[in-house]
Amino acid sequence: MCGIAGIYSPSGIVDDRVVRGMTEIMHHRGPIEDGYFFRPHVGLGMRRLSIIDIEGGHQPLFNEDGMIAVILNGQIYNYREIRADLIKRGHQLQTESDTEVIAHLYEEMGEQCVTQLNGMFALALWDERKQRLFIARDRLGVKPLYYYEGAAEFVFGSELKALLRCRSVPKEIDPSAIAEYLTLMYIRAPRTPLKNIRKLLPGHYLTVDSRGVNVRRYWDLREHYNHSQASSEAEAIERVLDLLRDSVRLRLRSDVPVGAFLSGGLDSSAIVALASEFNQQIDTFSVGFDGDGFDELGYAKVVSNAFHTRHHEKIVKVDDAIRNLPKLVWHLDEPNADSAIVPTFLISEVASREVRVILSGLGGDELFGGYRRYFDGYPIEHLYRRLPVSVQKHFVVPLVRNFKPSLANVIERNQFSDAFRYLTRVAAFSGHEKQRLLGPAFVDSVNLESEFNSYPNSDHVNRSMFVDMLTYLPDDILHITDRMSMAVSLEARTPFLDYRLVEFCSGLPGSFKVGQIRREWKKILKKALAPILPRETLVRPKWGFGAPVTAWMKNGLKGVVTDLYRESKALDLGLLTRKGIDTSLTGVGGTQDQFSQKLWTLLILEVWCRVFLNSSEGDAPAFGLNDLTR
């Protein structure tokens, strides 16, 4: 696990001090050592968190003649199999590192080498003969990669703040990205909050040489939705368990101890159960919030006892959780209003004291249907969608409204597209609320129509899950998991996101995952795990991994938000309007939870502005949340 950065210059001049500064600002991603590579036209830097071949895996690593140099952020889980095959074909490898196999595999296959890698990765490779820089990101987007394409140089890094160390990179805010943040609470790739910095999309690579930048896709999730590999539900259950078990086995490969996050929910419990089959005793970690009703520690203990883990838990109070919010936002790089940043950081901090590698159950909801938004409607709604629009509007809705207005509201939503209905479920601020916040010149262009329309068949359950795999998974939860774990130099591995399991599950019908009539979630995963997990885990209600934001707002955090927006950086920059802020702070309309989430979204945006836009080079903040309100 590392942080990588670099510069390509067509002129042949690369300032090594800039590359070193870009690399050093990511010290937290790899505190053990650094490594550099400089040639005419290119400079590469990396920070290393040693996991595999601790003594021999110093980066960059090379092929036999030194003409190919590679640096890696992440882990290649099938490196042993690749290494053995390369040796059979005559390659001479000098280390036991997973990084070295990439250089030799590139010799064999060129850019297509990434198709053979099973892992989480963002890699950069310099081909001396071709004078070409090659950069790639893993299929699901577990590892991040930012880049800036300028006339004088191409700049890249694992974190946005690394690019801010380079003076040639413009720091102009992208208002459309801020609008998207206010809707989704995160910013979708390739967009970032800064207009000229982009994120490389998952499953893509790019090449940079004297002819320019060329971006290509090497893996497309859509290809796997029409190709079921199971003839029955029973066969699917068996294959799911086999693939997940093998994914866990690969992700236990490490030269340092491996632990596991454990909330007591289905996904994290499944990972702990399967990891325990390979390790006699594993360390598990849980976090709870004191007095806020967000305590899953009892569920976690049930699983820990069942599989005899060495269990570690921490209970935190609100002040402990958010006093360092500016530092967490700095690690995030981008405004992200998912409150899971707080527990993810806290549990990562606890785990990092005991282990260097952690297994996470992240991805199970998106793969098997764990969210309420995957419910595709009651039978009457499906019938309604088949009716002509004129009949829907002028006959059915008025008739139903006379008898049951609440049901009419539910039915009426079905006049709109899947993408529109999805946004109404997930949006922090509605369209008219954003209009007030962003001003009269704002034109709302935030939608997910292209993502929904690109889905290759008519399975509505899988369609929503497909969109989450393209957007919410990489740009929200994988983003915050990477940043919060790396903030404390902890490598987080996600067995549910082994691409083999993802491809297999994509081909399964949505009815295997979500039962629409009985409203059952993760059907096939529960059936696969029934012989393994405690019954309490299988039947417990769904509980998202977030923070008790509503309780925090009631206990004083709302006042902090109000104080911050009296002299707001976001207002000074013209990102928001005073009228919109004042209206949003009153909490008119919606539930208490919805109001609290809006306040949290505004809080994160304001803190992000003060952290990143008061520092031209992305320096870490020297202030806490309390300092901002004095």
Side-chain angles (χ1 to χ4, degrees):
M1 182 63 67
C2 308
I4 63 173
I7 297 175
Y8 170 84
S9 171
S11 70
I13 301 172
V14 173
D15 190 334
D16 68 292
R17 294 169 299 178
V18 175
V19 175
R20 293 179 189 277
M22 293 171 64
T23 305
E24 189 56 33
I25 202 172
M26 298 185 293
H27 184 275
H28 50 277
R29 295 188 74 92
I32 294 176
E33 63 183 20
D34 57 9
Y36 296 95
F37 174 84
F38 295 103
R39 294 289 188 275
H41 298 294
V42 69
L44 305 177
M46 57 79 59
R47 294 291 323 183
R48 184 178 181 221
L49 179 66
S50 308
I51 304 296
I52 302 292
D53 193 6
I54 294 172
E55 297 301 323
H58 311 291
Q59 298 183 35
L61 284 160
F62 304 86
N63 66 331
E64 291 92 340
D65 62 8
M67 290 291 102
I68 297 170
V70 63
I71 53 177
L72 170 70
N73 168 30
Q75 208 72 60
I76 309 303
Y77 302 120
N78 63 334
Y79 75 98
R80 292 178 185 171
E81 290 79 5
I82 294 174
R83 186 177 188 278
D85 187 57
L86 288 167
I87 291 173
K88 285 181 182 178
R89 285 184 279 172
H91 289 266
Q92 298 177 9
L93 282 79
Q94 304 302 313
T95 75
E96 298 289 333
S97 168
D98 60 324
T99 305
E100 188 183 8
V101 304
I102 300 170
H104 296 271
L105 200 59
Y106 177 85
E107 279 189 289
E108 296 268 341
M109 304 181 64
E111 288 89 355
Q112 291 303 306
C113 67
V114 290
T115 64
Q116 304 302 303
L117 305 179
N118 185 346
M120 55 177 186
F121 57 85
L123 63 90
L125 180 150
W126 175 248
D127 186 329
E128 181 70 18
R129 289 189 178 87
K130 293 182 178 180
Q131 293 288 286
R132 179 180 296 164
L133 179 65
F134 170 62
I135 295 175
R137 191 177 179 199
D138 65 70
R139 295 169 179 83
L140 279 306
V142 182
K143 292 288 104 183
L145 193 71
Y146 294 86
Y147 69 93
Y148 161 71
E149 180 183 351
E153 54 191 4
F154 175 91
V155 185
F156 72 91
S158 295
E159 297 189 0
L160 182 143
K161 65 181 71 68
L163 277 68
L164 298 182
R165 288 289 189 182
C166 187
R167 293 185 178 179
S168 67
V169 177
K171 303 345 186 252
E172 185 181 356
I173 296 290
D174 183 355
S176 60
I178 302 304
E180 185 166 278
Y181 164 74
L182 293 173
T183 304
L184 298 172
M185 297 177 283
Y186 62 89
I187 298 170
R188 290 175 293 170
R191 180 177 281 156
T192 77
L194 301 182
K195 189 172 289 186
N196 297 284
I197 298 178
R198 296 172 68 82
K199 289 174 281 196
L200 184 62
L201 287 167
H204 284 65
Y205 68 79
L206 64 78
T207 56
V208 191
D209 56 25
S210 59
R211 295 173 294 180
V213 177
N214 186 13
V215 180
R216 293 184 179 178
R217 186 203 304 266
Y218 70 88
W219 186 76
D220 191 342
L221 182 60
R222 292 172 298 182
E223 295 175 357
H224 304 284
Y225 277 91
N226 289 324
H227 303 288
S228 178
Q229 300 175 43
S231 59
S232 66
E233 186 181 75
E235 182 183 348
I237 289 170
E238 182 179 356
R239 287 280 288 144
V240 163
L241 194 55
D242 287 345
L243 286 167
L244 185 56
R245 180 178 280 115
D246 194 58
S247 175
V248 170
R249 177 186 65 85
L250 286 178
R251 282 155 183 78
L252 287 170
R253 286 180 170 176
S254 171
D255 293 335
V256 297
V258 179
F261 291 146
L262 179 58
S263 68
L266 183 68
D267 300 334
S268 66
S269 300
I271 301 306
V272 169
L274 295 175
S276 298
E277 294 180 3
F278 300 100
N279 282 9
Q280 284 190 337
Q281 192 173 50
I282 190 169
D283 286 271
T284 53
F285 303 88
S286 303
V287 65
F289 292 101
D290 183 38
D292 288 322
F294 263 60
D295 190 343
E296 297 184 278
L297 297 180
Y299 290 113
K301 286 178 181 177
V302 169
V303 178
S304 173
N305 291 337
F307 298 102
H308 311 291
T309 73
R310 287 184 295 268
H311 193 56
H312 312 261
E313 60 183 40
K314 182 177 182 179
I315 299 175
V316 295
K317 296 181 179 180
V318 60
D319 290 342
D320 299 325
I322 63 172
R323 65 167 177 257
N324 291 322
L325 189 61
K327 189 66 176 289
L328 300 191
V329 170
W330 180 78
H331 279 292
L332 280 173
D333 278 329
E334 307 179 33
N336 185 302
D338 190 331
S339 64
I341 62 173
V342 177
T344 302
F345 173 79
L346 293 170
I347 194 60
S348 296
E349 190 176 43
V350 173
S352 67
R353 298 173 188 148
E354 304 291 335
V355 297
R356 202 178 291 175
V357 180
I358 201 80
L359 300 181
S360 167
L362 187 152
D365 287 318
E366 293 75 16
L367 205 55
F368 292 100
Y371 299 129
R372 300 296 177 188
R373 59 179 173 264
Y374 299 148
F375 175 62
D376 192 36
Y378 296 101
I380 192 173
E381 296 179 80
H382 288 268
L383 177 63
Y384 178 83
R385 293 172 198 169
R386 297 191 185 100
L387 297 174
V389 174
S390 59
V391 176
Q392 294 177 7
K393 291 183 177 180
H394 303 302
F395 179 71
V396 177
V397 170
L399 180 64
V400 175
R401 195 173 298 281
N402 287 332
F403 296 99
K404 195 168 185 179
S406 60
L407 179 59
N409 293 336
V410 170
I411 293 176
E412 195 170 25
R413 286 202 303 266
N414 289 272
Q415 295 175 8
F416 304 103
S417 67
D418 287 355
F420 183 88
R421 293 199 307 274
Y422 176 98
L423 278 180
T424 62
R425 296 186 185 107
V426 303
F429 290 92
S430 66
H432 70 273
E433 289 171 330
K434 282 193 301 177
Q435 193 73 55
R436 281 199 304 261
L437 279 168
L438 298 171
F442 167 67
V443 177
D444 193 354
S445 61
V446 180
N447 66 70
L448 292 166
E449 295 292 346
S450 63
E451 286 84 355
F452 272 89
N453 291 337
S454 69
Y455 179 70
N457 67 46
S458 59
D459 188 320
H460 286 274
V461 175
N462 273 333
R463 194 182 191 196
S464 293
M465 294 167 65
F466 165 76
V467 171
D468 273 345
M469 295 289 282
L470 294 184
T471 57
Y472 175 68
L473 177 70
D475 296 323
D476 184 352
I477 57 177
L478 285 174
H479 178 100
I480 64 177
T481 299
D482 172 81
R483 298 309 196 283
M484 296 299 96
S485 59
M486 283 282 87
V488 292
S489 308
L490 180 71
E491 176 179 296
R493 298 179 175 181
T494 52
F496 277 108
L497 297 182
D498 187 301
Y499 79 94
R500 300 168 301 166
L501 181 60
V502 171
E503 290 177 355
F504 177 78
C505 290
S506 298
L508 298 177
S511 59
F512 280 18
K513 305 165 188 176
V514 179
Q516 297 294 326
I517 302 300
R518 297 183 179 180
R519 303 193 74 170
E520 301 170 280
W521 318 103
K522 296 182 175 177
K523 285 172 52 184
I524 195 169
L525 183 61
K526 289 179 180 178
K527 290 178 180 179
L529 297 172
I532 299 173
L533 294 181
R535 186 178 182 277
E536 297 96 318
T537 303
L538 295 166
V539 301
R540 62 163 291 192
K542 169 73 175 174
W543 198 335
F545 189 63
V549 173
T550 299
W552 291 357
M553 291 297 171
K554 290 179 179 177
N555 293 332
L557 192 57
K558 179 181 183 295
V560 173
V561 181
T562 303
D563 288 345
L564 284 177
Y565 274 96
R566 288 198 177 100
E567 297 181 10
S568 164
K569 183 73 173 178
L571 286 171
D572 290 345
L573 292 167
L575 297 178
L576 304 176
T577 67
R578 170 54 66 187
K579 179 180 179 182
I581 286 296
D582 289 344
T583 302
S584 297
L585 293 177
T586 62
V588 177
T591 67
Q592 187 63 45
D593 287 346
Q594 290 170 333
F595 175 51
S596 297
Q597 183 59 60
K598 291 172 185 177
L599 292 179
W600 180 261
T601 303
L602 292 173
L603 171 62
I604 296 295
L605 178 61
E606 178 63 24
V607 172
W608 181 85
C609 288
R610 298 193 187 202
V611 167
F612 279 93
L613 303 182
N614 283 337
S615 170
S616 61
E617 294 189 346
D619 295 323
F623 52 84
L625 188 61
N626 293 338
D627 299 318
L628 296 177
T629 57
R630 290 174 181 171

